[in-house]
Amino acid sequence: MRSEAGVLISGQVPLRVRLAQRGLDGVTLLVLPAVLFIVGLFIYPFVYGLVLSFEPKEGGWLANYAKFFADPYLYTTIGKTLWLAVPVTVLNVLVSIPIALRVRLMRRQRLLTTILVVPITLGTVLVAEGLLNYLGPRGWLNRVILTIGFSDSPVRLIHNYWGVFMSLVITGFPFTFLLTLSYITGIDPSLEQAGAMLGARARQRFREIMLPLLFPGLVITFCLSFVQAFSVFPSAVLLGAPAGDTRVISIAAYQAAFEDYDYSMASAIAMIMAFVQVLIVAALLGLQNAFYRGPAGGGKG
């Protein structure tokens, strides 16, 4: 026989009650599969790669990192990757803002949004293959350029920086646009309407009302889009110059692992890649906290 508190009269506490007292109720137990999934799929591989990076084939435990930063052919891949990822991310964020502002006012918002996000369903490899045919010397674009007499010879837009740049813009814009649209649609329209009633013009309303409210979301959007662009690989191989100006850091890691069969060095390059991404994201979030404080932070809205 049990009491109202669910405790046995004999003094024995049920297992369910003991678990709840320790914070292990039914809801918490439901989270455990997700935690195990994250540990198995993300945390364990990261820790394994980190440990492996300190076990070089030759030299001391920092030999891989010393080799990377001593070889210009390796450490310059950081700058080449940033030279691709940063401009692409900036362009995608800047373009997504006016498009999202316009789309939110349209009646067929869902249809237009579906059209804009189609490149996500294609994948980076298929987009790169399509651009090879479209931007190649005998592609549609060069045929039009030659037909109208804009140039006497085909314009080189593949196997260089611009081919990879355009591929990253096409594949990265839908992701950036969806994030920006979600933040914009989350702003109360009455705020902008109040500004219009007070005589503020469209640009002034955007600058004084929309942009301060959007700024934290745009920073997050920039960070996520940057991480996506920084990990570029298929586009750099298919549309770029893997041994030239588009030899990004992911290519260096791939070559170390599958051409030199030096998995320890490949792990070190992957750790450097992760460190650069975390450093950029942390810097952006730090700048956001330094220059912007929302109502929750006690600053100006």
Side-chain angles (χ1 to χ4, degrees):
M1 183 175 182
R2 299 176 181 270
S3 64
E4 294 181 356
V7 181
L8 291 175
I9 295 178
S10 60
Q12 295 180 353
V13 181
L15 178 62
R16 177 178 57 83
V17 177
R18 295 201 304 270
L19 291 176
Q21 291 174 349
R22 298 179 181 181
L24 297 176
D25 55 2
V27 177
T28 305
L29 293 176
L30 290 175
V31 179
L32 286 179
V35 173
L36 294 176
F37 178 80
I38 293 175
V39 171
L41 194 62
F42 296 101
I43 298 180
Y44 172 75
F46 175 80
V47 174
Y48 178 81
L50 180 63
V51 173
L52 185 61
S53 69
F54 293 114
E55 299 176 353
K57 288 183 176 180
E58 299 178 355
W61 61 288
L62 288 176
N64 285 330
Y65 295 93
K67 178 182 177 181
F68 180 89
F69 289 104
D71 189 352
Y73 193 61
L74 290 175
Y75 70 74
T76 54
T77 57
I78 297 177
K80 292 176 181 178
T81 310
L82 289 173
W83 183 240
L84 271 169
V86 173
V88 165
T89 306
V90 171
L91 179 62
N92 279 338
V93 172
L94 291 179
V95 173
S96 67
I97 295 173
I99 295 179
L101 287 171
R102 182 59 181 171
V103 168
R104 67 168 183 155
L105 301 176
M106 293 183 174
R107 295 182 178 178
R108 300 184 179 275
Q109 179 185 136
R110 186 173 300 176
L111 175 61
L112 183 57
T113 302
T114 303
I115 295 174
L116 290 175
V117 301
V118 164
I120 292 180
T121 64
L122 301 178
T124 55
V125 175
L126 187 58
V127 170
E129 289 288 348
L131 288 177
L132 282 174
N133 295 325
Y134 184 76
L135 302 177
R138 298 183 180 180
W140 297 348
L141 181 61
N142 272 307
R143 289 181 182 180
V144 173
I145 292 175
L146 295 175
T147 300
I148 64 178
F150 184 79
S151 176
D152 296 331
S153 59
V155 180
R156 186 184 176 190
L157 295 173
I158 58 174
H159 302 309
N160 57 13
Y161 175 88
W162 295 110
V164 183
F165 183 90
M166 285 184 282
S167 176
L168 290 178
V169 169
I170 293 173
T171 56
F173 173 77
F175 179 74
T176 307
F177 166 75
L178 287 177
L179 289 174
T180 305
L181 182 64
S182 66
Y183 287 115
I184 289 179
T185 53
I187 297 177
D188 190 351
S190 62
L191 298 175
E192 193 175 5
Q193 294 172 2
M197 293 179 62
L198 293 174
R201 297 182 178 180
R203 292 184 180 180
Q204 188 177 5
R205 295 197 302 270
F206 174 78
R207 185 177 64 253
E208 300 295 337
I209 300 175
M210 298 292 292
L211 188 57
L213 295 174
L214 277 175
F215 184 75
L218 292 178
V219 172
I220 300 298
T221 300
F222 186 96
C223 292
L224 295 176
S225 300
F226 167 78
V227 170
Q228 182 186 37
F230 193 84
S231 59
V232 54
F233 180 76
S235 301
V237 173
L238 296 174
L239 291 168
D245 57 352
T246 63
R247 187 174 184 268
V248 294
I249 190 170
S250 59
I251 293 180
Y254 173 85
Q255 291 176 339
F258 300 105
E259 293 183 10
D260 300 333
Y261 298 101
D262 190 347
Y263 297 105
S264 178
M265 185 63 190
S267 297
I269 297 175
M271 292 300 110
I272 295 172
M273 182 178 177
F275 176 78
V276 173
Q277 295 180 76
V278 171
L279 185 65
I280 298 296
V281 171
L284 290 172
L285 296 178
L287 289 175
Q288 173 193 340
N289 294 331
F291 292 101
Y292 177 85
R293 287 188 179 182
K300 294 180 180 181

